[in-house]
Amino acid sequence: MTILAFPETKVGLTGRKGLIVGIANDQSIAWGCAKAFRALGAELAVTYLNDCAKGFVEPLARELDALIFMPLDVSVEGQTEQVFERIEKEWGQLDILLHSIAFSPKEALHGRVIDVGRDGFLKTLEISCWSFMRMAHLAEPLMKNGGTMFTMTYYGSRMVVENYNVMGVAKAALEAAVRYIAAEVGPKGIRVHAISPGPLATRAASGIPEFDELLDKAQSKAPARSLVSIDDVGAATAFLALDGAKLITGGVTYIDGGYHIID
Ligand code: NAD
């Protein structure tokens, strides 16, 4: 008897179409994920923030053979819709959505949560949480054969991490959005995941004061005694996009060497 525990469709993403939002440079978590999706055969669309970012992202998009390469600043009215319209026109479907963006104005991020003003709070939640909800809304009708939606979160959503401040509030909202949306779209075969990597020295992380201390603590306390790389995050994220992971949804997947279980 031959047991086909891993037929080809369960370990590959050939023929799947994925949208990657959040590559700034070759340190970005989104780049680690995109490489893994591509290595498994997915065809990818890539966005870049604006003209300043374009030069850094373009060579990476080329490496991914991304034929759809578009600007996307989620705070610009209509730009998110334009990306999904293009995908509908060119592909007629979408199988993977990767949302890997976050932003908080300095004055909001660097202060106590209790002191955050309305504008800083709304901007943080708009870019870091609502943009995912909007993308999920636009992706749903394109995920005609089911699909997988991903967003990036962090441990500071459920524990008080020094200097993470209002971003922890945004990530808590994001994780709740993942649960609700997973319940809403699950009957259509669409899975929704929050991926929670350990700290990584990226551009976004450079906005968090004393980030090096966070790295040291993560390395010394995590059961694996190791920091994670963007390739570690990519491999685990790509696994969740495989057919073999089709009944995993709605949760927070920690890719942190086990740090989250330690006191
Ligand atoms: P990064 O700087 O490489 O990526 C952040 C991305 O957000 C950039 O591509 C930037 O262009 C994009 N962005 C910011 N504002 C935007 C807007 N208005 N419209 C569209 N895009 C916008 O940093 P990263 O660490 O790869 O961050 C990716 C995600 O991972 C974020 O959600 C972050 O909170 C999360 N995360 C990071 C860490 C870490 O330690 N680096 C840990 C856990 C989770």
Side-chain angles (χ1 to χ4, degrees):
M1 183 174 64
T2 315
I3 300 175
L4 271 180
F6 292 104
E8 203 182 318
T9 57
K10 290 198 176 182
V11 288
L13 295 172
T14 304
R16 306 293 164 86
K17 316 277 192 199
L19 169 61
I20 308 295
V21 180
I23 300 180
N25 52 42
D26 64 2
Q27 327 258 291
S28 295
I29 294 171
W31 169 239
C33 294
K35 281 190 289 178
F37 293 141
R38 182 71 189 134
L40 288 170
E43 202 175 319
L44 301 177
V46 169
T47 69
Y48 57 93
L49 178 63
N50 52 29
D51 283 348
C52 289
K54 189 177 181 185
F56 296 97
V57 187
E58 201 162 23
L60 303 177
R62 221 177 294 126
E63 267 190 63
L64 297 168
D65 309 306
L67 294 177
I68 302 178
F69 179 62
M70 290 182 75
L72 174 55
D73 179 335
V74 296
S75 64
V76 174
E77 190 77 34
Q79 239 179 34
T80 309
E81 285 74 11
Q82 278 169 19
V83 169
F84 283 86
E85 279 160 19
R86 172 92 182 272
I87 283 173
E88 178 163 30
K89 198 165 144 235
E90 304 240 347
W91 286 343
Q93 70 170 86
L94 186 68
D95 304 291
I96 298 165
L97 165 66
L98 183 88
H99 171 280
S100 185
I101 70 175
F103 174 77
S104 181
K106 242 191 198 130
E107 64 279 9
L109 185 64
H110 289 185
R112 301 187 308 166
V113 168
I114 197 173
D115 300 327
V116 170
R118 186 173 191 264
D119 289 350
F121 176 78
L122 291 179
K123 184 50 94 183
T124 306
L125 269 285
E126 179 198 1
I127 310 294
S128 312
C129 177
W130 185 80
S131 66
F132 172 68
M133 295 163 62
R134 195 66 199 160
M135 284 182 208
H137 169 83
L138 295 167
E140 180 190 11
L142 294 178
M143 291 191 165
K144 295 168 184 163
N145 308 311
T148 323
M149 303 177 180
F150 297 101
T151 186
M152 291 295 152
T153 186
Y154 179 60
Y155 176 73
S157 63
R158 66 181 185 107
M159 300 301 273
V160 174
V161 173
E162 214 174 330
N163 296 313
Y164 204 59
N165 303 338
V166 71
M167 190 53 80
V169 179
K171 295 298 193 191
L174 183 66
E175 289 173 18
V178 163
R179 286 189 285 277
Y180 278 89
I181 294 170
E184 289 160 359
V185 300
K188 296 183 175 170
I190 303 172
R191 298 105 71 179
V192 190
H193 292 281
I195 302 294
S196 189
L200 285 137
T202 61
R203 166 102 60 78
S206 67
I208 298 169
E210 296 167 36
F211 191 74
D212 284 350
E213 285 169 29
L214 212 63
L215 289 171
D216 290 346
K217 197 171 160 196
Q219 176 143 31
S220 60
K221 282 187 83 177
R225 297 287 187 276
S226 172
L227 292 174
V228 299
S229 69
I230 60 167
D231 293 330
D232 295 323
V233 180
T237 302
F239 159 74
L240 290 170
L242 296 173
D243 288 351
K246 71 177 186 299
L247 295 183
I248 308 175
T249 191
V252 178
T253 298
Y254 291 91
I255 303 163
D256 64 351
Y259 182 88
H260 67 286
I261 63 162
I262 300 294
D263 174 28

